[in-house]
Amino acid sequence: MNIDKLREELKEDEGCKYEIYLDHLGLPTHGIGHLITEWDEEYEKKVGTEVSEDRVNNCFAKDVETVLEDCKVLYS
């Protein structure tokens, strides 16, 4: 899988924000739909707080890795 190509396609389709925003459910999010959890460095930071491109890309890669691991479990 080419994660760079996937990231660029999703950026085009879904958008990408380099700041904390509230998603359609009102949950804090950044990048390409990365839900901010208590384990993220952005946790409890204000909406509008800037998030670096490197951080967005790292979170995206981690999110993709998590989805792929879940798929392996579900669809062995």
Side-chain angles (χ1 to χ4, degrees):
M1 171 186 294
N2 184 332
I3 194 165
D4 293 328
K5 183 176 180 183
L6 175 62
R7 182 177 52 249
E8 292 308 313
E9 288 177 2
L10 285 174
K11 274 179 158 178
E12 187 174 316
D13 291 344
E14 302 294 329
C16 180
K17 292 189 178 184
Y18 296 100
E19 65 181 18
I20 297 174
Y21 66 95
L22 299 179
D23 70 4
H24 67 286
L25 298 175
L27 300 172
T29 306
H30 71 69
I32 308 170
H34 175 75
L35 177 65
I36 297 170
T37 67
E38 63 184 293
W39 298 280
D40 285 307
E41 62 189 62
E42 297 84 9
Y43 187 68
E44 294 189 332
K45 291 190 178 177
K46 293 181 181 183
V47 169
T49 300
E50 187 176 326
V51 180
S52 73
E53 184 175 2
D54 283 343
R55 176 71 177 146
V56 166
N57 290 341
N58 287 337
C59 288
F60 178 78
K62 192 173 183 182
D63 290 345
V64 169
E65 184 179 311
T66 299
V67 168
L68 291 175
E69 289 301 316
D70 289 349
C71 287
K72 287 177 186 176
V73 170
L74 293 170
Y75 307 106
S76 56

